[in-house]
């Protein structure tokens, strides 16, 4: 209940905030649109007044002559109105494209700056879905609804005055009906808004099933296990349930609106009947004007209902957009900022670092105390779920500890700008992204066209020769390019990490997961050269490459249980020795 009250109070603020963003995206288009709508509204109001004089002239029996000026005036008004009606769709399309692009650009920019932790919450995904899903058309719809209301005001005032010429009760009943329908529309819109918020997750789930059925990456496994029919059934059930509940709310809003409309129409008809009996005969022009005014106001009652619904939806979208923009981003400045130390002199120290994922019952990392020395290669090993990748994310500035702290050359990482931390880190993850663009842009995603020599050198170092792979080669068959093997894609990711020469910390999270044994051996034989004296974190399941490390840290269920050189840990006969012995049996 409190959520509903808070939302209603923020309705005008959210609408004004959203309208200001839309207006600023195309101010000249918006101003011209407003001027044309106001002109059209004035023409419609003037047409009502011309109608009375025209009808009286036509029924006076004096012939067409006296009515000619009025007919000409009506024709001019009609031509002007039709011209405006042709121009407005052009402005509407201009506004749709410009405002849609501006809203989507702002939303995408904000989403790209959200911290990694934000994506661990379902509410964030629901919020992003509601904002991005409607950004391309929301600006046009809000402008249309706002201007239709603005356009109707002169007509409403004129029609009300005309009804008042007959009886004061007619405009009172009609205006009360419009206000009540506006109130009813707000309630209906609130009902639609609550449904949208509460069922966004279900709509996203249906979209997810659709993506599984249509994406190239999932096509082979879906066909191998013959689960296409199952996914299609789940998609249909999920989306069908969503649509049935939505239609139920739409039906509820419609029949309640129809009942109220019929009620007010009957009341208006009774008032008109009583007024007609009491007023006696009235002139033909005034009678035509009266009927036209009643039609205008009755149409306004229906418009008020649906406009109320749509305004609540617009306000809800504005609320969602504002909440998204208010989420602290990775670019949010700290209270005091310090630069990332370059080069490292004392190293990186983790003091009682603990991390727990949202809704998790146990810590992914627990009280980690670790000193990573400058220029050393530190291997992190452990079973699945031990916390290796979580530790890498913390060191790369992608996540912040829930307890404890990280210092870099004695400086607390929390006062170093996240962008600065990430610029000092380079990483290759187990499942790197595959960009559907040229090979050059895959190695240098920030579109720097002055690094061809470095890009080619990095590709050569990881085994992708210039004879086989051109920098201009378009990758990604979904967009007309060629595909690579998983191992070749992994090499591209390795090259990407090497080009980032300003990085002082290199993180390899299973960098050879997709390489064959010979290629893996070749890569790790050159590992020290690839790192080139930088501080390196090597995360591995296979323990052979850990022999290249200066030290090995062993994680078990989020705890640091062992640390030392590979030889020391083998002699210790602890967790590392057990893992090493278990893996060596496969090669005996």
């Amino acid at each position: 209940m409190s959520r509903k009250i808070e939302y209603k109070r923020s309705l005008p603020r959210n609408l004004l905030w959203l309208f200001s963003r839309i207006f600023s995206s195309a101010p000249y288009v918006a101003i011209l649109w407003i001027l044309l709508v106001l002109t059209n509204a004035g023409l419609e109001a003037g047409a009502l007044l011309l109608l009375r004089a025209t009808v009286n002239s036509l029924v006076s029996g004096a012939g067409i002559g006296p009515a000619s000026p009025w007919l000409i005036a009506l024709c001019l008004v009609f031509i002007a109105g039709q011209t405006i009606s042709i121009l407005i769709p052009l402005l509407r399309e201009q506004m749709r494209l410009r405002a849609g692009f501006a809203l989507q650009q702002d939303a995408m920019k904000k989403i790209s700056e959200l911290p990694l932790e934000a994506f661990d919450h379902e509410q964030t995904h629901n919020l992003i879905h509601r904002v991005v899903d409607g950004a391309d058309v929301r600006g046009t719809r809000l402008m249309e609804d706002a201007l239709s209301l603005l356009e109707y005001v002169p007509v409403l005032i004129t029609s009300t005055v005309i009804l008042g010429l007959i009886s004061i009760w007619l405009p009172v009943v009609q205006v009360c009906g419009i206000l009540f329908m506006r109130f009813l529309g707000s309630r209906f819109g609130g009902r639609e808004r609550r449904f949208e918020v509460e069922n966004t997750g279900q709509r996203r789930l249906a979209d997810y099933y659709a993506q599984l059925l249509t994406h190239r990456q999932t096509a082979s496994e879906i066909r191998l296990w013959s689960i296409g029919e199952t996914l299609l059934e789940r998609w249909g059930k999920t989306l069908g349930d969503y649509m049935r509940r939505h239609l139920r709310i739409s039906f509820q809003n419609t029949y309640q609106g129809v009942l109220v409309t019929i009620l007010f129409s009957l009341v208006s008809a009774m008032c008109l009947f009583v007024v007609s009996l009491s007023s006696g005969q009235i002139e033909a022009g005034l009678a035509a004007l009266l009927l036209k005014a009643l039609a205008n106001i009755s149409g306004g009652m229906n418009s008020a209902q649906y406009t109320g619904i749509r305004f609540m939806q617009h306000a809800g979208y504005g609320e969602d957009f504002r909440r998204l923009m208010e989420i602290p981003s990775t670019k949010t400045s700290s209270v005091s900022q310090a630069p990332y130390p370059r080069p490292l002199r004392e190293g990186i120290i983790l003091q009682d670092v603990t991390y727990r994922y949202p809704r998790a019952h146990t810590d992914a990392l627990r009280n980690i105390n670790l000193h990573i020395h400058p220029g050393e290669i530190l291997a992190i090993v452990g079973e699945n779920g031990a916390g290796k990748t979580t530790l890498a994310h913390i060191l790369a500035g992608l996540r912040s500890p829930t307890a404890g702290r990280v210092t870099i050359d004695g400086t607390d990482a929390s006062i170093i700008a996240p962008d600065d931390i990430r610029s000092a880190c380079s990483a290759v993850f187990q499942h790197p992204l595959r960009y559907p663009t040229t090979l050059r842009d895959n190695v240098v995603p920030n579109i720097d066209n002055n690094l061809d020599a470095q890009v080619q050198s990095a590709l050569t170092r990881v085994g992708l020769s210039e004879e086989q792979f051109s920098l201009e080669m378009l990758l990604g068959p979904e967009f007309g390019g060629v595909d690579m093997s998983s191992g070749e894609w992994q090499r591209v990711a390795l090259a990407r990490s090497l080009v980032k020469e300003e990085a002082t910390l290199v993180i390899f999270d299973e960098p050879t997961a997709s390489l064959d044994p010979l290629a893996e051996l070749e890569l790790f034989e050159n590992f020290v050269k690839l790192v080139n004296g930088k501080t390196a974190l090597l995360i591995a399941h296979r323990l052979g490459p850990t022999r290249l490390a200066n030290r090995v840290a062993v994680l078990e269920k989020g705890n640091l249980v062992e640390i030392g050189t590979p030889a020391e840990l083998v002699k210790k006969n602890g967790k590392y020795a057990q893992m090493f012995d278990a893996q060596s049996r496969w090669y005996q």
Side-chain angles (χ1 to χ4, degrees):
M1 187 69 178
S2 60
R3 179 189 179 108
K4 181 179 177 182
I5 294 174
E6 179 184 356
Y7 173 71
K8 279 193 170 183
R9 287 177 179 173
S10 64
L11 171 64
R13 183 180 61 179
N14 289 328
L15 280 174
L16 290 174
W17 182 87
L18 181 59
F19 186 85
S20 66
R21 294 185 78 92
I22 293 169
F23 184 87
S24 62
S25 66
Y28 298 112
V29 175
I31 290 173
L32 182 56
W33 193 355
I34 292 171
L35 291 176
L36 287 180
V37 166
L38 289 175
T39 302
N40 199 43
L43 291 173
E44 290 184 11
L48 285 175
L49 302 177
L50 291 172
L51 180 64
R52 178 180 181 180
T54 303
V55 172
N56 285 334
S57 299
L58 289 173
V59 301
S60 65
I64 195 68
S68 296
W70 304 111
L71 287 171
I72 293 172
L74 276 176
C75 288
L76 293 176
V77 168
F78 175 78
I79 292 172
Q82 290 301 306
T83 302
I84 290 175
S85 68
I86 293 174
L87 294 175
I88 284 179
L90 174 62
L91 298 176
R92 182 191 300 117
E93 184 65 10
Q94 286 279 322
M95 181 60 70
R96 185 186 72 81
L97 294 174
R98 298 190 185 194
F101 175 79
L103 289 178
Q104 290 182 91
Q105 185 181 46
D106 290 345
M108 295 297 184
K109 183 176 185 296
K110 179 63 181 182
I111 293 168
S112 69
E113 297 172 355
L114 293 180
L116 201 59
E117 289 92 343
F119 294 94
D120 295 330
H121 298 273
E122 180 189 10
Q123 293 83 353
T124 303
H125 291 279
N126 289 341
L127 186 63
I128 290 173
H129 178 86
R130 291 197 299 271
V131 170
V132 175
D133 190 52
D136 58 333
V137 296
R138 183 62 61 179
T140 304
R141 290 176 180 174
L142 176 57
M143 283 291 293
E144 281 184 322
D145 292 332
L147 293 179
S148 66
L149 182 62
L150 180 64
E151 184 178 17
Y152 182 69
V153 169
V155 178
L156 174 63
I157 294 174
T158 305
S159 300
T160 303
V161 172
I162 291 170
L163 293 180
L165 296 176
I166 306 299
S167 172
I168 190 60
W169 295 110
L170 288 177
V172 170
V173 170
Q174 295 293 317
V175 172
C176 287
I178 290 175
L179 294 177
F180 185 78
M181 294 300 285
R182 178 67 180 83
F183 167 76
L184 202 63
S186 297
R187 290 182 60 86
F188 293 167
R191 189 181 292 163
E192 294 263 7
R193 166 67 174 167
R194 287 190 296 273
F195 169 83
E196 183 182 12
V197 172
E198 293 169 0
N199 293 274
T200 304
Q202 186 177 20
R203 183 57 189 266
R204 284 199 307 109
L205 182 59
D207 292 344
Y208 173 72
Y209 286 135
Q211 290 173 6
L212 289 178
L213 288 165
T214 57
H215 279 196
R216 176 176 179 267
Q217 289 80 358
T218 57
S220 57
E221 190 160 344
I222 288 174
R223 282 151 182 78
L224 176 65
W225 297 106
S226 300
I227 58 176
E229 289 294 331
T230 301
L231 291 175
L232 184 61
E233 181 180 351
R234 291 181 179 178
W235 170 81
K237 184 180 184 303
T238 304
L239 186 58
D241 290 343
Y242 175 89
M243 292 174 63
R244 278 190 292 273
R245 285 198 294 270
H246 198 185
L247 288 172
R248 192 178 303 122
I249 290 178
S250 297
F251 177 77
Q252 185 179 3
N253 288 345
T254 300
Y255 86 77
Q256 290 181 1
V258 168
L259 290 178
V260 174
T261 300
I262 291 175
L263 175 62
F264 273 100
S265 296
L266 291 175
V267 172
S268 300
M270 290 178 60
C271 290
L272 181 60
F273 181 72
V274 172
V275 169
S276 299
L277 291 178
S278 61
S279 299
Q281 186 176 3
I282 60 175
E283 62 179 76
L286 187 57
L289 206 57
L290 172 63
L291 295 176
K292 180 62 176 176
L294 282 171
N296 287 338
I297 295 183
S298 297
M301 291 174 61
N302 292 327
S303 177
Q305 175 187 338
Y306 292 111
T307 302
I309 294 175
R310 289 192 295 267
F311 274 162
M312 289 296 289
Q313 293 172 340
H314 297 321
Y317 182 83
E319 181 183 45
D320 286 336
F321 210 114
R322 293 184 68 180
R323 288 181 177 177
L324 176 64
M325 301 303 287
E326 289 169 0
I327 298 177
S329 68
T330 56
K331 293 184 178 294
T332 303
S333 300
S334 305
V335 176
S336 59
Q337 288 191 349
Y340 192 99
R342 291 181 175 88
L344 287 176
R345 301 186 183 279
E346 301 175 17
I348 303 172
I349 299 177
L350 288 77
Q351 299 175 335
D352 295 323
V353 168
T354 297
Y355 189 87
R356 176 175 293 192
Y357 288 93
R359 298 179 301 281
H361 300 293
T362 58
D363 295 325
L365 294 173
R366 187 180 303 110
N367 298 325
I368 302 296
N369 289 281
L370 178 64
H371 185 183
I372 303 175
H373 303 291
E376 81 164 331
I377 300 175
L378 176 67
I380 306 292
V381 301
E383 300 172 349
N384 290 330
K388 304 185 294 297
T389 299
T390 303
L391 179 59
H393 284 175
I394 290 176
L395 292 173
L398 299 174
R399 296 184 184 274
S400 300
T402 51
R405 70 173 188 153
V406 178
T407 61
I408 304 171
D409 275 3
T411 302
D412 197 316
S414 63
I415 66 171
I416 301 177
D419 279 352
D420 200 13
I421 295 178
R422 289 193 291 272
S423 70
C425 296
S426 180
V428 180
F429 294 110
Q430 187 170 355
H431 302 289
L433 284 178
R434 304 177 179 185
Y435 302 103
T437 181
T438 63
L439 177 58
R440 174 194 291 106
D441 291 341
N442 265 275
V443 178
V444 188
N446 59 354
I447 316 179
D448 190 333
N449 295 319
N450 300 317
L451 296 176
D452 282 5
Q454 294 93 319
V455 170
Q456 194 61 65
S457 173
L459 289 170
T460 302
R461 290 165 68 187
V462 298
L464 298 177
S465 64
E466 186 175 0
E467 292 75 17
Q468 292 177 293
F469 303 95
S470 166
L471 295 184
E472 301 298 333
M473 183 173 64
L474 181 64
L475 304 180
E478 303 95 322
F479 296 93
V482 299
D483 200 6
M484 285 183 160
S485 67
S486 296
E488 288 170 338
W489 276 113
Q490 195 79 10
R491 291 174 185 268
V492 172
L494 287 167
R496 187 185 304 150
S497 70
L498 297 177
V499 170
K500 194 175 181 180
E501 296 180 350
E502 71 274 16
T504 60
L505 174 64
V506 180
I507 299 174
F508 281 4
D509 187 354
E510 292 292 333
T512 60
S514 299
L515 299 181
D516 58 76
L518 293 178
E520 180 185 32
L521 177 61
E522 178 188 357
L523 177 65
F524 278 121
E525 285 178 346
N526 295 304
F527 178 75
V528 176
K529 294 180 181 179
L530 293 175
V531 172
N532 195 26
K534 297 178 180 179
T535 305
L537 191 71
L538 173 61
I539 299 174
H541 282 103
R542 293 190 287 264
L543 300 188
T546 62
R547 292 177 298 172
L548 297 169
N550 303 106
R551 291 186 301 158
V552 178
V554 183
L555 295 178
E556 184 176 24
K557 296 180 179 179
N559 296 292
L560 178 60
V561 294
E562 291 180 339
I563 187 168
T565 66
E568 290 173 348
L569 295 183
V570 170
K571 292 180 181 179
K572 189 177 179 181
N573 200 28
K575 182 68 177 179
Y576 179 85
Q578 295 173 11
M579 295 172 63
F580 192 89
D581 181 62
Q583 290 188 19
S584 64
R585 292 177 187 175
W586 288 100
Y587 301 96
Q588 296 176 355

